[in-house]
């Protein structure tokens, strides 16, 4: 390790390519471990990452109905790590409610998830006074957090810059040209050359404002097609999302916009009077089985396929990458199928 830790002058120990959640968090963890780090991003700001338009829900336990167990484990570890990395994450749980038209949905859902408490009408009203008298039964997941992704990006940038790490935006170089002991490739959909099986899934969200509603945490109303949360951003602003469409068209379809709005209104009719602030989408990098993959080569470590869980899992993956870098190991424990090139 001393070869890396000492580094050479004008040389970085670790070059990170891509300034999405995975790249920024990896950079920060490597820097804190004493490595000299540089970040290279093709675009001119963070908005190129789908995470810029993310809904900012970090709720591994309540996502266990849809997410692979690997993702849930990474998410649980990451919730613990986030407060040591950057400001902006609030961990005060998530509430999951059943649709009144499908009363058994909660029971069915409960068989796929863990680490929750059943909550009755009184407890729901205590947690979310705005929902008092509307829902009689739900599930509370205490180990869940939410954040404004744009705040997380800026907060990570501030911490990195304070540590002397500059993000080189508008970078047009090639990975092969980088002078570094190790290169971490976190290019998301830009890494199709390395991950030919990578595909894009579009996710969509709506941002609305209502000063009549006050929610304190993400609330998920079980829905037959999507995993949708209404998440507070403060000052009466809420994000509804995300609908997902298995293609790379980008943009928000009329159908999805309608679904997002109707979802909020189904949760709480007062959302019908909310003002629409933004309708956004992003294309997420997805691998065949929906689980992140880490490929460890001699010099390049590539991580991809974070799908709809980039914020939720990046710290735990970065922690494992750091272990690989320090031990020169060629195996990563958590990834679905680590591959040695
Ligand atoms: C509407 C929506 C809602 C979402 N909600 C959530 C949520 O609630 N919770 C959650 O955890 N996740 C959420 N996500 C998913 C999250 O955005 C992704 O999982 C995450 O962006 C993946 O992170 P990444 O760093 O692996 O890749 P990316 O974020 O795609 O970052 C890759 C970066 O690499 C750059 N790049 C590409 N090619 C090159 C190159 N050649 N050279 C240099 N740089 C390059 C790109 O410009 C980009 O900045 C949501 C996404 C969307 C769209």
């Amino acid at each position: 390790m001393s070869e890396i830790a000492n580094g050479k002058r004008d040389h970085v120990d670790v070059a990170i390519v891509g300034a999405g959640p995975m790249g920024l968090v990896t950079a920060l963890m490597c820097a804190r471990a004493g490595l000299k780090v540089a970040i290279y991003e093709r675009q001119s700001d963070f908005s190129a990452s789908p995470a810029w338009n993310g809904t900012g829900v970090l709720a591994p336990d309540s996502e266990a109905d849809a997410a692979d167990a690997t993702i849930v484990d990474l998410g649980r570890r990451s919730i613990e790590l986030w407060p040591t990395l950057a400001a902006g994450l609030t961990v005060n749980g998530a509430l999951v409610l059943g649709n009144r038209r499908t009363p058994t949905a909660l029971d069915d859902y409960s068989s796929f998830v863990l680490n929750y408490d059943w909550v009755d009408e009184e407890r729901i009203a205590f947690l979310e006074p705005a929902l008092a008298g509307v829902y009689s039964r739900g599930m509370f997941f205490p180990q869940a957090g939410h954040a404004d992704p744009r705040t997380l990006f800026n907060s990570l940038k501030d911490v990195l810059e304070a540590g002397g790490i500059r993000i080189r935006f508008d970078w047009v170089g090639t990975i092969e040209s980088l002078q570094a002991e190790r290169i971490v490739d976190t290019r998301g959909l830009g890494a199709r050359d390395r991950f030919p099986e990578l595909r894009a899934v579009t996710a969509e969200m709506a941002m609305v404002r209502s000063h009549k509603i006050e929610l304190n945490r993400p609330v998920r109303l079980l829905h037959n097609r999507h995993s949708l949360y209404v998440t507070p951003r403060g000052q009466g602003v809420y994000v509804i999302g995300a609908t997902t469409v298995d293609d790379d068209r980008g943009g928000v379809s009329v159908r999805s916009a309608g679904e997002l709005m109707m979802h909020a209104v189904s949760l709480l009719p007062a959302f019908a009077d909310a003002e629409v602030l933004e309708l956004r989408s992003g294309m997420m990098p997805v691998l065949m089985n929906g689980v992140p993959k880490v490929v460890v080569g001699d010099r390049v470590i590539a991580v991809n396929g974070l799908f709809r869980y980039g914020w939720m899992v990046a710290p735990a993956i970065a922690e494992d990458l750091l272990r690989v870098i320090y031990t020169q190991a060629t195996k990563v424990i958590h990834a679905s199928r680590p591959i040695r090139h």
Side-chain angles (χ1 to χ4, degrees):
M1 187 64 240
S2 58
E3 195 184 286
I4 284 180
N6 294 334
K8 296 177 191 136
R9 219 144 53 96
D10 302 329
H11 228 237
V12 288
D13 299 321
V14 184
I16 314 273
V17 187
M22 195 62 240
L24 295 180
V25 169
T26 303
L28 182 54
M29 285 204 176
C30 287
R32 288 209 173 142
L35 297 169
K36 189 172 170 192
V37 179
I39 307 170
Y40 302 87
E41 165 59 47
R42 184 174 54 180
Q43 302 297 337
S44 51
D45 58 35
F46 294 125
S47 64
S49 161
W52 183 256
N53 291 326
T55 45
V57 177
L58 285 73
D61 292 322
S62 64
E63 285 294 293
D65 60 323
D68 187 275
T70 308
I71 291 168
V72 177
D73 286 345
L74 290 166
R76 287 186 186 136
R77 283 175 52 205
S78 297
I79 286 265
E80 306 279 325
L81 290 166
W82 263 115
T84 67
L85 297 172
L89 180 70
T90 303
V91 181
N92 65 351
L95 194 57
V96 177
L97 302 167
N99 190 320
R100 277 156 287 180
R101 281 171 299 181
T102 52
T104 58
L106 266 185
D107 296 301
D108 296 343
Y109 168 77
S110 71
S111 56
F112 295 104
V113 291
L114 290 169
N115 301 326
Y116 61 85
D117 299 321
W118 284 105
V119 286
D120 60 11
E121 190 168 344
E122 195 181 342
R123 181 86 177 137
I124 292 170
F126 172 77
L127 291 166
E128 296 295 350
L131 301 175
V134 185
Y135 293 91
S136 56
R137 193 163 165 256
M139 294 160 75
F140 179 60
F141 294 81
Q143 288 305 312
H146 65 280
D148 178 345
R150 298 169 195 181
T151 302
L152 286 184
F153 268 116
N154 290 324
S155 166
L156 285 166
K157 180 169 180 268
D158 289 348
V159 178
L160 286 163
E161 284 180 350
I165 298 152
R166 202 162 59 87
I167 303 166
R168 293 164 205 207
F169 288 106
D170 297 315
W171 181 69
V172 289
T174 61
I175 287 187
E176 296 70 35
S177 68
L178 288 169
Q179 300 291 307
E181 298 290 328
R182 282 283 184 148
I183 294 161
V184 182
D185 175 356
T186 66
R187 289 175 293 155
L189 288 172
R192 282 184 164 121
D193 51 344
R194 198 179 298 279
F195 294 95
E197 73 276 35
L198 200 58
R199 71 179 206 280
V201 170
T202 300
E204 304 141 305
M205 66 85 153
M207 192 185 288
V208 302
R209 179 162 49 212
S210 168
H211 291 296
K212 292 187 199 155
I213 300 166
E214 198 176 328
L215 294 174
N216 304 303
R217 54 181 56 74
V219 181
R220 177 177 172 185
L221 184 59
L222 287 183
H223 185 283
N224 52 3
R225 258 172 33 90
H226 302 289
S227 161
L228 289 177
Y229 294 81
V230 176
T231 303
R233 285 275 167 91
Q235 310 205 326
V237 175
Y238 294 90
V239 169
I240 310 152
T243 43
T244 50
V245 186
D246 204 343
D247 69 20
D248 59 359
R249 68 171 157 69
V252 181
S253 69
V254 170
R255 181 193 295 110
S256 296
E259 279 189 80
L260 291 165
M261 302 306 165
M262 286 315 296
H263 183 79
V265 175
S266 314
L267 175 71
L268 212 49
F271 271 113
D273 295 323
E275 175 193 0
V276 178
L277 301 178
E278 291 184 24
L279 283 170
R280 302 270 181 202
S281 70
M283 287 188 283
M284 305 178 293
V286 187
L287 290 167
M288 295 306 272
N289 56 3
V291 178
K293 185 189 266 185
V294 178
V295 179
V296 183
D298 289 335
R299 198 161 81 99
V300 180
I301 301 174
V303 52
N304 218 307
L306 273 61
F307 190 19
R308 53 182 297 155
Y309 306 110
W311 291 116
M312 192 174 94
V313 301
I317 296 180
E319 191 178 58
D320 291 343
L321 288 183
L322 190 58
R323 198 171 303 133
V324 170
I325 290 170
Y326 262 97
T327 60
Q328 302 284 349
T330 54
K331 209 167 139 244
V332 180
I333 319 106
H334 64 72
S336 53
R337 278 192 195 90
I339 294 174
R340 169 102 177 119
H341 263 181

